[in-house]
Structures are given as C-alpha cells and as structure tokens.
Amino acid sequence: MLDESLLDSPEGLGEADRRGLLRGAAEAGARVRTAARHAAEAGVRELKPDGRPRAVLIAGPGAAATHTADLLGSLAGPGSPVIRLAPTGVAPAAGALRWELPGWAGSVDLLLLATPDGTEPSLSLLAEQAYRRGCSVVAVAPAGTPLAEAVSGAHGLLVPMATAPYDQEEPLAASSSGVFWALLTPLLALLDRIGLLTAAPDDLEKVADRLDHIAERCGPAIATYSNPAKTLAAELADSLPVVWTEGTSAGPAGRRFAAALAELAGRPAVVAELPEALAAHSALLAGPLAASADPDDFFRDRVEEPPALHARVVLLRDRPIGGLTAAPGARDLALSHDTPISELEPEEGSDLETLAELIAVTDFAAVYLALASGA
C-alpha cells in the first residue's frame, strides 16, 4: 500500500530515505559537473583520435553500466556499434563476475570499462587482454582500485569516478542517479571527442542545468499536485506500469525506469517502444489486468480487501506532440480498455537535455514510490 500522506511530508521522506536516494537524485547535476571536470583533467579533451573505432565495447557490473551502454548506443547511432559485454558467473559479486572479449575484437576497437567498484578481478584481466589484442582501453572507476592500476598497466586512460563523501557510508544502489551520471558523463565526453555523438562541454553543462531544474521541480518540499515525480508515483500505486516510449532517447529512459522500479521500489513493470508496443501489449491491456476486468472492484471494501492490480500506461516521449507519432493510437488503445495513462514529455532541447529530463523525473518517481510504499 502506498502512503500518499508521506509524499507531502519532507521530514517523513527524509527519515524513510535510509539509502540516500533522494539526495543522489537531487545532486545529479552536481555529479555531472564533477564528472565532466574529472574527464577534462584526465585528458579526454586533448585526445587526438585517428578516426572512429570499428566498434565500442562496454563492460561493467550492474544496472548503471547496462543503462550507460544502452544510452550511448542510442545516441551514437549506427556509426560505430556500441556493444555491452554481458558478464557470466555464479553470483553478482565482484569476484564472481566474468567478462570476455569477443574473438573479433582487435586494434580498431575501443573497450570502455565502467564500474563504481573497481575491485572486479575479471575487469582487470579484460583490460590486460584488450591491451594484448591492441584495443584502446578507457575506464571510469574509483581511483586507487585494482582496476585503476590494471588500466594504467595496459597503457589505457583512467577517468576517476566522481564520488561524494556519503558514497562510502553504505553500498550504492545500482540504479542510483549519482552512480549513473558519474559513469556516463566521462564516456559522453570521450565519444564526443571521437565523433560518435555530440556532448561538448557546453552540452554537458546544459544537461547539468536541466538536472538542477528538475531537482527543483521534483524535490521533496514540492507538493504532489505540482510535482510531476510525486504525481507519477501516486498514479502508479497498486498498478502494473506499462511503459511505452517514443523517440530515440526515450527508449533508454523507459528501460531505466522499469529497472529502477524493480530494484528500488520492488515493483514489476513492462516496457516497449512505440509503435510496436501497441501490438505487443494489446492482449495485456485486454486481459485480467485491465481496469474493466473486475466489474465488482467498484464495490470492494477499500479498508478490508487488498487492492486489485491493474495496468497503467506510462507514455514517455522525447519530442513535442506533432509530426509522425503513434501517441494518438497509444491513447486510444489504452482508453478503449479503460486503462489510465500517464504522460511525460520534456521541454525542448537537445537529445541529451530531453533524455536527462526524462531520466531525472522517472528516477525521482521511482524513489518516491519506494519510500511511500516502504520498500
């Protein structure tokens, strides 16, 4: 059950937030600025690449590395494929995870290592293997870790991960905003230098400004009725989020939202991109999860009986209404099955700015849903 009264109690939210999730979301803009400065100090802007790599390989543990690879691949487009090297192993622990370079990787490829830990032995071995194959190696990891030493030994480039003092107080959530932006920002600067995407220093500063703006709009002191993140969290109470995305940068934002709901709030969600989502989820909306599936729900005792789980569509779009869009069809399908729909659409800006806004609002929403439901 969602305690909606907690959403409008900044003090109560602060007491419930034992993992520092709200603080991490609020400081996302500052983390971007720090990470951009670390990238500049590491020499990213002075690099003189010989050309685009044939492929960009990304390895790292947890959701942050997965989302980083997803986002970079969407922004880079088909120029050089961005491929995440998925780990194997018996447990999601630093010593148990294993990564391997594909057999075709060689001197024309780029290996990126992204981790908030840096103690994974297999990542250090991967850096050494890449060096022997002639791959260029760049890592974003905490300074002074075994991985940092391995990258230095492999003549790679290390960008120290942007951290905050409280990061060491307790284990960081993989979906934490601070971890995500600390890993992503230096890699954006690097791929901008290589020419795979556009993320100049001014662009990253605009991203930080947009994140600051969303933190002001979605902060715990802002009432639910004027706070888009709290509103979304309240709307998702007792719902199965059916996340539909439209636009290049909305896809990674939707997949990150679904992962954050699972990790932080313990809520399942399904996600798909328009227009194919309309066919993929049509039967789901027409089934027992539809709001119209239980005609007796109106007469249910709201105190004694647990609420029924019904689907709710969350439509994330990265461009203004107009032009070629499947949004009207999405609304029609949802409403034809009595399924409520929530919509998020960012203000105008670059792909990076609109992506940052979608991620920031949904990050805050996942945190509020986690805190208000006691997750």
Side-chain angles (χ1 to χ4, degrees):
M1 295 290 291
L2 187 77
D3 183 3
E4 292 193 33
S5 64
L6 185 63
L7 293 178
D8 285 323
S9 172
E11 296 81 8
L13 287 170
E15 293 176 2
D17 188 16
R18 293 180 292 274
R19 292 178 287 176
L21 298 174
L22 280 174
R23 180 172 52 189
E27 294 179 355
R31 196 73 71 117
V32 168
R33 294 187 182 92
T34 302
R37 185 176 71 251
H38 285 188
E41 292 172 351
V44 168
R45 295 299 173 191
E46 284 70 47
L47 293 176
K48 297 179 180 179
D50 295 330
R52 292 186 174 189
R54 176 181 59 180
V56 178
L57 308 173
I58 300 182
T66 301
H67 301 153
T68 295
D70 188 11
L71 188 148
L72 292 177
S74 296
L75 292 176
S80 292
V82 178
I83 303 169
R84 176 179 178 258
L85 302 181
T88 58
V90 297
L97 295 174
R98 298 289 183 270
W99 288 267
E100 290 288 341
L101 280 180
W104 50 262
S107 60
V108 293
D109 302 309
L110 171 64
L111 174 64
L112 305 178
L113 306 175
T115 174
D117 188 335
T119 65
E120 302 89 350
S122 185
L123 284 183
S124 297
L125 294 174
L126 189 69
E128 296 170 3
Q129 183 185 18
Y131 173 64
R132 292 193 299 269
R133 296 266 198 98
C135 294
S136 300
V137 180
V138 178
V140 182
T145 58
L147 178 60
E149 297 177 4
V151 170
S152 176
H155 301 283
L157 175 65
L158 173 72
V159 179
M161 178 181 166
T163 59
Y166 60 82
D167 284 350
Q168 307 304 320
E169 295 175 3
E170 54 189 271
L172 295 171
S175 294
S176 163
S177 297
V179 173
F180 173 71
W181 290 108
L183 295 179
L184 175 65
T185 303
L187 299 182
L188 287 172
L190 173 70
L191 296 192
D192 170 76
R193 187 65 183 167
I194 294 173
L196 290 185
L197 49 79
T198 301
D202 289 346
D203 297 317
L204 294 179
E205 183 61 33
K206 290 178 181 178
V207 168
D209 291 341
R210 182 70 66 98
L211 292 172
D212 288 344
H213 174 62
I214 298 303
E216 293 174 359
R217 290 180 56 204
C218 298
I222 307 301
T224 299
Y225 67 85
S226 59
N227 186 321
K230 287 184 179 180
T231 298
L232 180 58
E235 290 173 345
L236 292 180
D238 308 322
S239 297
L240 172 70
V242 180
V243 183
W244 291 345
T245 67
E246 185 174 55
T248 302
S249 57
R255 290 185 285 273
R256 174 173 167 79
F257 184 37
L261 287 172
E263 183 189 358
L264 303 181
R267 299 293 185 96
V270 293
V271 59
E273 297 188 24
L274 293 175
E276 293 181 322
L278 303 183
H281 292 161
S282 178
L284 186 154
L285 297 186
L289 292 173
S292 59
D294 184 6
D296 297 327
D297 184 66
F298 179 81
F299 301 100
R300 176 176 58 83
D301 188 321
R302 304 289 162 173
V303 176
E304 299 297 333
E305 299 180 32
L309 184 67
H310 293 309
R312 184 182 189 97
V313 171
V314 180
L315 179 57
L316 305 182
R317 306 183 67 230
D318 70 356
R319 56 178 178 265
I321 297 290
L324 187 64
T325 172
R331 299 186 191 101
D332 290 344
L333 178 62
L335 297 178
S336 69
H337 294 296
D338 295 327
T339 299
I341 184 169
S342 303
E343 297 191 39
L344 288 180
E345 184 176 315
E347 300 175 6
E348 292 187 6
S350 67
D351 286 347
L352 271 179
E353 290 177 84
T354 57
L355 175 68
E357 180 170 337
L358 287 175
I359 288 177
V361 174
T362 52
D363 275 359
F364 268 107
V367 170
Y368 284 129
L369 191 59
L371 299 181
S373 60

